């Protein structure tokens, strides 16, 4: 008897082929997770006022309007 008859053949796809085919699926899962995180961080209204980067420091404002 030959020893090659005892080897089991892979039933479908090799590991290398499986990773090659599913690589885009993993990338799409990561992209979906990042987009979901970004969508949760942004307000629903894009025209809503955003919090300032730096806190306001002005105590008083002088407004001068001179026509002419």
């Amino acid at each position: 008897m030959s020893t090659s008859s005892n080897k089991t053949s892979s039933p479908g796809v090799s590991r290398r082929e499986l990773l090659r085919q599913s690589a885009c699926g993993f990338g799409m899962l990561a992209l979906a997770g990042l987009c979901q995180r970004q969508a949760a961080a942004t307000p629903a209204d894009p025209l809503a006022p955003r919090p300032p980067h730096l806190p306001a420091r002005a105590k008083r404002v002088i407004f001068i309007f001179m026509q002419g």
Side-chain angles (χ1 to χ4, degrees):
M1 288 195 108
S2 170
T3 58
S4 63
S5 64
N6 292 337
K7 291 183 180 180
T8 59
S9 62
S10 62
V13 183
S14 68
R15 277 185 273 167
R16 181 177 291 181
E17 193 63 33
L18 177 71
L19 288 174
R20 184 179 296 143
Q21 289 176 356
S22 63
C24 288
F26 289 134
M28 289 302 289
L29 282 174
L31 180 63
L34 289 173
C35 290
Q36 181 182 7
R37 234 185 266 163
Q38 183 180 7
T42 57
D45 184 15
L47 299 177
R50 298 181 185 164
H53 292 284
L54 301 172
R57 297 187 322 188
K59 301 284 185 193
R60 295 171 185 84
V61 175
I62 299 174
F63 181 76
I64 300 173
F65 177 76
M66 300 170 70
Q67 182 178 1

